[in-house]
Amino acid sequence: MENQGASVVINHHILNGKQKQYEDWLNEIGSICRSFAGNIDWQIIRPIPNLTFIYTVVIRFDTIENLKSWMESQERKNLIEKAKPFLAKDDKYLIRSGLDFLFEAENEKQKVPVRWKQYLVTWSAIYPLSMLIPLIVLPILKTVNFPDTKFISSLFVSGCIVFIMVYWLMPNYTKLIKKWLYK
C-alpha cells in the first residue's frame, strides 16, 4: 500500500487567562515534536482573542508509525502533564492517515469513506476555492503593501483555502453528501 502519511488534529480548550503560559508551552513542545523522525508539519490555529479559547494543533508525519511514536512518547506525556493546569478539558486526539480527518463522521461508529470518494470530494471543494480565493486575497495583499512574491501570495492563499476547508466547507459539505459519501 502506498504511504499516505498521517495527521493528528488536537483541540485544546485553554482556561481564561492561561493563554500566555500555553503559548510558552506550545513553543517548548513544538520544537521537541519537530525533532522526531518523520515530522512533516506542525500548524497552530489560534483562537480569536477574548472570544474563543480553543487552540487547534495539526501535526503531520510521514507514516502512522512515526506519528504514533511521537503521540505515545514519554516526552509528549511529560509535556501534557505540564500543560494540564492550562487545559479546561483533557488532551484528546485522533490519528488518521492522509486527509481522513476532513471526513470524520459525527457518528464515531461510521467508517471513513473510501479513498476515491475522499479524492473526488476534496478535489471538488478545493478546485473552486483555488479559483476564487486568489481573486480575493491577492488584491488585499497588494492593498496592504505585502511584497509581491509567489512565496508570500501562495502562503496566504493556501492558508485561507486550508482554513476554509477544515473549519467551514468540509464539515458542511460532508453533511450535505453524507448518504453518498458513507454508502
Side-chain angles (χ1 to χ4, degrees):
M1 182 178 180
E2 185 180 318
N3 191 352
Q4 299 287 327
S7 302
V8 64
V9 178
I10 306 164
N11 291 310
H12 283 155
H13 184 159
I14 308 306
L15 294 169
N16 194 17
K18 299 291 184 179
Q19 288 82 3
K20 169 72 172 102
Q21 293 96 321
Y22 183 76
E23 286 281 345
D24 293 342
W25 177 84
L26 275 176
N27 290 332
E28 182 180 359
I29 195 170
S31 64
I32 295 169
C33 175
R34 287 188 290 271
S35 73
F36 265 65
N39 180 272
I40 295 172
D41 195 31
W42 164 280
Q43 296 177 352
I44 303 166
I45 302 166
R46 289 174 170 80
I48 301 166
N50 302 316
L51 186 61
T52 63
F53 301 96
I54 305 290
Y55 280 77
T56 300
V57 181
V58 180
I59 306 170
R60 292 183 330 139
F61 274 78
D62 59 350
T63 65
I64 283 186
E65 293 75 22
N66 282 336
L67 178 55
K68 283 183 179 177
S69 175
W70 160 248
M71 295 303 290
E72 296 168 1
S73 71
Q74 193 57 51
E75 293 94 329
R76 184 177 186 281
K77 287 176 185 173
N78 293 342
L79 286 161
I80 292 299
E81 278 301 312
K82 186 176 179 179
K84 282 189 176 179
F86 321 135
L87 304 179
K89 297 179 181 179
D90 285 338
D91 175 62
K92 292 185 181 174
Y93 62 87
L94 186 61
I95 295 175
R96 296 284 193 191
S97 64
L99 294 174
D100 288 349
F101 70 90
L102 291 176
F103 297 92
E104 200 167 301
E106 289 175 25
N107 177 356
E108 289 185 17
K109 293 178 184 172
Q110 201 167 22
K111 291 182 180 179
V112 173
V114 294
R115 291 245 184 244
W116 69 268
K117 287 185 178 182
Q118 290 183 41
Y119 167 78
L120 288 177
V121 170
T122 305
W123 184 26
S124 69
I126 288 178
Y127 177 71
L129 289 176
S130 69
M131 301 298 286
L132 179 65
I133 297 301
L135 297 175
I136 297 168
V137 170
L138 296 179
I140 292 170
L141 291 177
K142 189 173 254 183
T143 301
V144 296
N145 294 320
F146 264 92
D148 188 16
T149 69
K150 284 257 185 221
F151 294 112
I152 291 176
S153 59
S154 294
L155 174 74
F156 281 96
V157 168
S158 64
C160 289
I161 290 172
V162 170
F163 184 84
I164 291 168
M165 287 284 292
V166 171
Y167 284 98
W168 180 75
L169 187 63
M170 290 306 281
N172 294 307
Y173 190 22
T174 54
K175 282 179 190 171
L176 182 68
I177 62 171
K178 70 180 173 186
K179 285 184 180 176
W180 172 80
L181 189 60
Y182 296 101
K183 188 176 181 181

